[in-house]
Amino acid sequence: QIIVSDKISSDWYEKLIKWADRININDDKIPRDKEKLLKLTELDLTELELTQLPKEIENLTNLTDLYLSVTIQ
């Protein structure tokens, strides 16, 4: 089950980047440049075994395709 965190603040960019760094999502998937990040239309996280997405993802308003894989336990 994917759970979206429920906290958001004005520093969403920094929080999203810290999350990406913590779970080793590289710059090719989540750009560290804010302008590039905001232009992101597709995000493929299928190879990661995620159980949560940060609420800050909702700030990626150009994101039209989000790919996730679900591990059922």
Side-chain angles (χ1 to χ4, degrees):
Q1 177 181 9
I2 300 293
I3 301 167
V4 178
S5 302
D6 61 357
K7 292 184 179 179
I8 191 163
S9 66
S10 60
D11 60 347
W12 67 269
Y13 169 74
E14 290 83 12
K15 288 183 177 185
L16 187 60
I17 297 306
K18 284 181 183 177
W19 172 79
D21 287 343
R22 189 174 64 249
I23 61 172
N24 298 317
I25 299 176
N26 65 33
D27 189 65
D28 293 339
K29 294 202 179 275
I30 296 187
R32 298 323 192 251
D33 177 79
K34 190 173 184 178
E35 187 175 323
K36 288 181 183 178
L37 183 63
L38 287 170
K39 290 180 180 178
L40 199 64
T41 59
E42 182 178 297
L43 182 55
D44 184 353
L45 303 174
T46 54
E47 76 280 0
L48 303 172
E49 293 184 19
L50 299 174
T51 57
Q52 282 189 316
L53 290 176
K55 178 82 171 163
E56 291 77 18
I57 281 256
E58 73 183 13
N59 290 286
L60 303 180
T61 56
N62 288 314
L63 193 64
T64 56
D65 298 302
L66 175 62
Y67 301 99
L68 302 167
S69 60
V70 178
T71 303
I72 299 174
Q73 297 179 359

